[in-house]
Amino acid sequence: MPSVRFAGKTINLPGNRPLRIGLGVLFTLFGFVGFLPILGFWMVPVGLLILSADIPAIRRFNRRITVRAMRWWRRIRGKDEATA
């Protein structure tokens, strides 16, 4: 069964590849109309996370963004701890 790791937790995805891709595309597209009730901008990263299980280019993009965000976070957090 395909799964993705997010925030240290493993999330199982549907076993059907076309269903996963369709679900990821829907989440991403509906996320762009996030100003509407219930739909939100939170759906874009979730959709990309679902798509990363099947599409290597999106998997690389997600990994690159994660590494940059963690480096930024550690740099900012290190500066705050040094001044405190």
Side-chain angles (χ1 to χ4, degrees), residues 22-51:
L23 190 64
V25 168
L26 281 176
F27 265 74
T28 305
L29 291 177
F30 284 151
F32 287 119
V33 291
F35 54 87
L36 297 173
I38 299 178
L39 303 176
F41 296 114
W42 62 270
M43 295 177 81
V44 175
V46 172
L48 291 175
L49 186 67
I50 293 170
L51 287 172

Side-chain angles (χ1 to χ4, degrees), residues 3-83:
S3 61
V4 292
R5 287 184 48 96
F6 179 72
K9 298 184 192 273
T10 301
I11 301 167
N12 293 325
L13 297 174
N16 188 350
R17 185 172 190 238
L19 179 63
R20 280 192 313 269
I21 292 174
L23 190 64
V25 168
L26 281 176
F27 265 74
T28 305
L29 291 177
F30 284 151
F32 287 119
V33 291
F35 54 87
L36 297 173
I38 299 178
L39 303 176
F41 296 114
W42 62 270
M43 295 177 81
V44 175
V46 172
L48 291 175
L49 186 67
I50 293 170
L51 287 172
S52 71
D54 293 310
I55 302 174
I58 295 176
R59 188 176 314 127
R60 286 189 298 270
F61 173 75
N62 281 349
R63 182 64 183 158
R64 191 176 311 125
I65 295 298
T66 301
V67 168
R68 286 182 185 172
M70 290 306 296
R71 285 180 183 164
W72 174 81
W73 179 252
R74 288 183 183 139
R75 187 176 63 237
I76 297 299
R77 193 171 170 198
K79 287 181 181 176
D80 288 342
E81 290 175 1
T83 58

